[in-house]
Amino acid sequence: MYLLYHYPYSQHSRRVVALLEEAGLEYELRHVALDQREQMSPAYLAINPNHQVPAMLDGSIKIFESNAILRYLCHKHRLSDWYPEDFARRAIVEQWLDWNQTHLAGAVIDIVLNAVFLGPRGDREAIARGRAQLAELAPILEAGVKDQAFLCGETPTIADLSVASNLTQLSLADAVPQQAGIDTWFKRVSAIEGVKRACAPIAQS
Ligand SMILES: N[C@@H](CCC(=O)N[C@@H](CS)C(=O)NCC(=O)O)C(=O)O
């Protein structure tokens, strides 16, 4: 049984829940009250010293970083559909996982944190910076999905779960890029049962 420390509005947590659901793995969610700064408590810092969700416990094994957790689950349960063994396809999965963390994530946080979660206290300059960055990134994503069903071919991988979780986050700020290929791909990923279950708490709110 996996223990996943999460927060329902965390895109990084939802991508892990989506895979756990899709793979039919047993897990328990531990809510970390980010809105009350519980991530700064000594008890939680002992689990993830970066004071972030998600973090996962598998017995005595402690893992932080959402994409590392996704890879761990795929390795452990041989989820080769979600994490292809073919080295060329896997390289493309890794490319999008890294792109998501190093390029897209910052823009999404700038926009959604400031336009949605901080409300009137949000930093307007950060929103503008995030929107400008997103405008540069959207054509890259569009090119990646316009001629195929998913980012790494005709079946979904953890790259789709990871990148799409950031688009779900952008939808909270009504900021999902409007390109046709992105729209079709995002609808396709959002229709995956595990993704729907992972998004249920925010869909209901
Ligand atoms: N690179 C990390 C990012 C995780 C992250 O940014 N988590 C946010 C919620 S979505 C968080 O816990 N923020 C609280 C904080 O930084 O104090 C991952 O992929 O797991």
Side-chain angles (χ1 to χ4, degrees):
M1 162 82 83
Y2 295 109
L3 204 55
L4 184 71
Y5 291 81
H6 91 127
Y7 183 71
Y9 285 95
S10 157
Q11 66 275 40
H12 302 91
S13 301
R14 288 199 305 272
R15 66 189 63 156
V16 176
V17 174
L19 183 66
L20 287 163
E21 286 283 341
E22 277 297 305
L25 300 172
E26 270 191 63
Y27 67 98
E28 193 181 305
L29 291 179
R30 285 282 163 87
H31 182 93
V32 180
L34 296 189
D35 45 347
Q36 287 160 45
R37 311 284 296 154
E38 188 189 342
Q39 75 272 29
M40 305 308 288
S41 67
Y44 189 70
L45 289 172
I47 291 159
N48 185 355
N50 302 292
H51 53 82
Q52 290 181 328
V53 288
M56 196 180 76
L57 299 191
D58 179 13
S60 60
I61 303 173
K62 251 189 270 181
I63 316 162
F64 53 73
E65 285 300 323
S66 56
N67 287 351
I69 298 172
L70 292 174
R71 291 186 185 95
Y72 175 85
L73 292 170
C74 288
H75 282 305
K76 184 168 171 188
H77 298 281
R78 299 181 180 276
L79 305 176
S80 53
D81 288 349
W82 289 101
Y83 193 43
E85 277 161 27
D86 171 74
F87 80 94
R89 264 197 93 205
R90 181 168 293 187
I92 303 303
V93 173
E94 301 295 8
Q95 166 194 289
W96 286 112
L97 288 174
D98 286 0
W99 181 84
N100 194 39
Q101 300 290 68
T102 56
H103 294 276
L104 187 59
V108 172
I109 289 169
D110 273 346
I111 296 169
V112 181
L113 178 67
N114 291 291
V116 181
F117 295 123
L118 294 179
R121 287 183 294 121
D123 176 346
R124 303 289 119 186
E125 274 178 31
I127 299 172
R129 183 177 64 226
R131 284 191 179 273
Q133 204 184 346
L134 187 62
E136 275 186 38
L137 297 173
I140 297 169
L141 181 57
E142 173 71 10
V145 291
K146 77 174 170 34
D147 294 327
Q148 53 188 4
F150 295 99
L151 280 168
C152 308
E154 296 310 309
T155 55
T157 67
I158 54 174
D160 297 283
L161 301 182
S162 193
V163 177
S165 70
N166 263 329
L167 264 64
T168 304
Q169 203 71 352
L170 283 173
S171 70
L172 300 176
D174 212 8
V176 177
Q178 292 303 299
Q179 279 90 333
I182 293 177
D183 184 56
T184 307
W185 164 80
F186 183 46
K187 286 191 178 121
R188 207 173 266 139
V189 181
S190 301
I192 294 172
E193 277 308 315
V195 172
K196 284 202 262 183
R197 285 188 216 120
C199 291
I202 62 166
Q204 284 153 12
S205 63

